[in-house]
Amino acid sequence: MEQVNAIELKHVTKRFGEVTANDNVSLTLKKGEILSILGENGSGKTTLMNMLSGIYFPDEGEIRINGNAVTIRSPKDSFSLGIGMIHQHFKLINILTAAENIILGLPGEKKIKMPQVVEEINALTRKYGFDLNPMQKIYDMSVSQKQTVEIIKVLYRGADILILDEPTAVLTPHETTKLFQVLKNMKEDGKSIIIITHKLNEVLELSDRISVLRKGTYINTVETKDATVESLTEMMVGEKVSLDIKRTKPTNQKKRIEVCNINCRNKEGLPVLTDASFIAYSGEILGVAGISGSGQKELLESIAGLQKLESGQIFYHTPEETIEDLTKLSADVIKEKGVRLAFVPEDRLGMGLVGSMDLTDNMMIRSYKDGRSFLVDRKKPRKLASKIVEQLKVVTPKLETPVRRLSGGNVQKVLVGREIALNPTVLMVAYPVRGLDINSSYTIYNLLNEEKKKGHAVICVIEDLDVLLELCDRILVLNSGKITGVVDARSTNKEELGLLMTGTGEEKHKDE
Amino acid sequence: MSKDIVLLNKEPFIRMVKRDSITTVKAWFIRMIAVILALIVAALVIVAITKQNPIEVYLGMIDGAVGSKRRLWVTIREILAMLCIAVGLTPAFKMKFWNIGAEGQILMGGTAAAAFMIYFSDKLPSGILLIVIIIVSSIAGLIWGIIPAFFKAYFNTNETLFTLMLNYVAMQIVTFCIVFWENPTGSNTVGIINSATKAGWFPSLFGNVYGLNVVLVLLLTTAIAIYMKYSKHGYEISVVGESEFTAEYAGINVKKVILRTMMVSGAICGFAGSLIVSGASHTISTSTAGGRGFTAIIVAWMAKFNPIAMILVSALLIFMQQGSVQIATQFGLNENASDIITGIIIFFLIGCEFFINYQVELRKKSKEGK
């Protein structure tokens, strides 16, 4: 007898204007299996899943759920077909409890019987091995707990097909292991699961089969047991890629940035950095590890003069061995002092670049003040823009294209290129390869390594621990705004980093 | 369940798809269609009300707007005032500072102009008086612009409400001044100021009463076009408008830019006040601004803040307005009829922006055909 598939996509095509996000994609999810959808950014994974969850509507093609041809016009349609999607960005209401969030929007009697709901939720958590208190408020939760709420939300609604979009991007290694166990339990129970990711190791560990997309087209589906990291990379990129980062020994190390006991608070008045002190040397790459939101952003922004400090001091040691006090100076004053500090912020289009402006105007962000003329000089920025496009192989129709139209990788190349063009003595980068494909990522790693060889101090926040271990010389670990350790990248390992990231290895909750 | 699926198995009939990009030609084509549709709908309304031949009515409109030399110049004068205000709003709106206080800024500028016309007509030679009037009216508008900017920059108050409320304050100030300036006494209006001496009036230029208006406004429009596009200030305004975080990152002093830009914006609107008082009506009342401060927002917005496009947009709007005033009298309708026609046109022009940004897709023919 032929087995009915949970999901069948047949020749699905989706276009956005001139861009074809999915081109004739056919794919099947068998009942009770974990299927990984693998592909670089921009390969159309999320678009494909958004068509299943009713956010987009396919231009062509057919979707079959449990053997029946269906049309999914809205997320509601998708729910009623038993599809539950867990998005990368959580959609929860902070001031409500987990249970309240879970039943939000569900039809039912006028009076909510909360104890009964809680009991049902507890039954679900016990069944699959989650760890959740239904009465806890969302704002009290860690990222991984919020994710748990999202998963239970769709299970509570009776979903038997789950789609998870990059679920491990925000998790620590320990939390990832826990999540995978839960997913395996659900599979045992007969649920069908799709997981979207680009982390190869996880794919190999978790899934039964792997489907690969590249630039919107479907490449192939393989059994996990027949796949290796190399073969999958080749399928994703379309060519063999060498995955080595050439790390050189740091030379001629001198103090460059000295941070002493800085404290700062966020807009809500909660402390985000507590007594942080460290030194960054010239000629080395200092990595910063930590669960997202542990103070990485504030640490870099403090040095760049974009963060208000409550107390503490920041010193810059010039190559001429004099000392500049950067404490409480704003970005423009730091620049006027002649400190060549480059900063690639996490929010590329919200801080580093202006999305609606073209490449030339974005180059000017750093240099428009130069010269005494009332009018701006666009000649030099234009030259710089075309130089960056050429050297870093930025794909753009023309220099006048708004950067918002470029893909994530190209946006990042423009930004990193501009910052490196400042010829900085200190280069700070936050999540430099987030959202980038493998080739672009390695381009960025090489650029960082070159800066290091030039004797500049590089500080980089990277979420992927494997990369941190391979790229950096030393790794600074943050946990809820405290520096829990600075370790030698050559002798440490993921487990040690994981322990430092979570403090004692156990989850800590903010109890305010 | 099976019923569900049957229900679900229907593609939506109409879908809106966001356009990636659109050629300028196509965009203007859509706008042209909108204008034509607006004229047709307006014609239907006219027929329904007046039972007249719509072509005759439109001819009446053209006649009203440009039918005689005098009418043509009145239309041009009104276009210039509208253009000047729209140009003044441009820096603020480009910075995403929603300045809906142009009315107040115009009134303050107009009041300052009127005050100098009344009190200094015999103290200053006429050439100097005119220059002084232009300067003080700009300063009055500047002050009215910098007040909300200061509170926005330092206390993050909502500039929309703030500028709106200042409009009413400005109106009260005008009412207050009218009490002192009443002429003739008891009329509760100021009347034509210096009607005999014409002191403080814009002089004729090139043999035309409104020649100076043309020169000043076109110079100003060009200056602002250059200021926005090629100056460092203009660049800072765009960056602050897009993202304050980026501005801080770029080392831009955001507070300073907000204050400076609203000074420019307010000053130009204040100058527009003198343009209306000294250069056109030669009187002051609470309706001196006459809603132009709001209409100019539409003009600036529809022109996508391109000062050159603003010339076209304000010309179109004023043409329609002047034309409909004419048909209102010609066919014995009241003034609201002209508002209806202007309203219909603005509705279509704003509505067509949706079709410039989005594409409508109809459901494809049923799949059995394949």
Side-chain angles (χ1 to χ4, degrees), chain B residues 83-100:
Chain B
L83 176 63
C84 181
I85 303 162
V87 164
L89 288 174
T90 301
F93 274 76
K94 194 84 186 169
M95 193 175 66
K96 306 239 162 88
F97 185 102
W98 311 120
N99 175 20
I100 56 173

Side-chain angles (χ1 to χ4, degrees), chain B residues 85-248:
Chain B
I85 303 162
V87 164
L89 288 174
T90 301
F93 274 76
K94 194 84 186 169
M95 193 175 66
K96 306 239 162 88
F97 185 102
W98 311 120
N99 175 20
I100 56 173
E103 289 279 301
Q105 290 146 21
I106 297 164
L107 278 180
M108 292 316 289
T111 312
F116 271 74
M117 282 164 83
I118 291 168
Y119 294 123
F120 289 88
S121 61
D122 45 5
K123 296 192 184 79
L124 290 169
S126 61
I128 304 221
L129 177 61
L130 189 66
I131 295 170
V132 171
I133 283 174
I134 290 177
I135 292 171
V136 292
S137 58
S138 305
I139 291 173
L142 180 150
I143 292 169
W144 229 238
I146 205 172
I147 297 170
F150 172 80
F151 284 92
K152 167 84 174 176
Y154 289 93
F155 304 101
N156 199 25
T157 53
N158 181 319
E159 74 274 16
T160 321
L161 288 174
F162 211 122
T163 50
L164 183 69
M165 291 193 291
L166 278 179
N167 289 344
Y168 298 104
V169 178
M171 267 186 214
Q172 293 306 320
I173 290 176
V174 172
T175 316
F176 180 73
C177 289
I178 289 174
V179 174
F180 294 96
W181 299 343
E182 241 179 1
N183 183 25
T185 321
S187 66
N188 207 23
T189 57
V190 178
I192 303 293
I193 305 166
N194 302 343
S195 54
T197 60
K198 297 196 174 174
W201 290 28
F202 278 25
S204 297
L205 195 67
F206 313 126
N208 193 291
V209 194
Y210 302 122
L212 187 61
N213 300 36
V214 176
V215 173
L216 288 179
V217 173
L218 289 186
L219 275 179
L220 192 67
T221 307
T222 322
I224 286 295
I226 294 171
Y227 180 75
M228 292 309 295
K229 197 156 181 209
Y230 298 106
S231 78
K232 288 178 182 173
H233 287 186
Y235 182 75
E236 285 177 343
I237 290 171
S238 334
V239 175
V240 171
E242 283 300 324
S243 153
E244 278 189 26
F245 291 118
T246 312
E248 266 167 36

Side-chain angles (χ1 to χ4, degrees), chain A residues 17-19 57 59 68-69 71 73 77 80-81 306 331-332 343 345 350-354 356-357 361 364-366 368-371 373-376 378 405 418-419, chain B residues 1 4-5 7-13 15 17-18 20-21 226-227 229-233 235-236 238-239 242-243 245-246 248-253 361 364 367 370:
Chain A
E18 288 157 28
V19 185
F57 190 84
D59 293 328
N68 299 314
T71 302
R73 279 197 283 186
D77 289 354
S80 55
L81 289 164
L306 299 169
D332 47 334
F343 178 33
M351 185 182 246
L353 300 167
V354 179
S356 60
M357 288 185 177
D361 277 19
M364 275 160 49
I365 283 182
R366 283 296 200 180
Y368 80 95
K369 277 188 187 159
D370 297 352
S373 165
F374 180 72
L375 301 180
V376 286
R378 280 197 169 79
R405 291 261 173 83
R418 185 190 73 201
E419 291 302 296
Chain B
M1 189 72 194
D4 270 2
I5 287 168
L7 247 169
L8 291 172
N9 203 359
K10 238 184 199 170
E11 212 178 299
F13 183 65
R15 284 190 291 138
V17 180
K18 195 158 170 62
D20 219 23
S21 59
I226 294 171
Y227 180 75
K229 197 156 181 209
Y230 298 106
S231 78
K232 288 178 182 173
H233 287 186
Y235 182 75
E236 285 177 343
S238 334
V239 175
E242 283 300 324
S243 153
F245 291 118
T246 312
E248 266 167 36
Y249 168 84
I252 294 172
N253 186 337
E361 282 190 359
K364 287 176 207 86
K367 283 170 195 153
K370 273 187 193 167

Side-chain angles (χ1 to χ4, degrees), chain B residues 75-89:
Chain B
T75 305
I76 291 178
R77 181 192 79 193
E78 293 300 306
I79 292 173
L80 291 170
M82 186 61 76
L83 176 63
C84 181
I85 303 162
V87 164
L89 288 174

Side-chain angles (χ1 to χ4, degrees), chain A residues 260-263 273-277 311 481 483:
Chain A
C260 307
N261 298 312
I262 56 170
N263 285 288
L273 281 177
T274 318
D275 275 331
S277 305
S311 62
I483 295 179

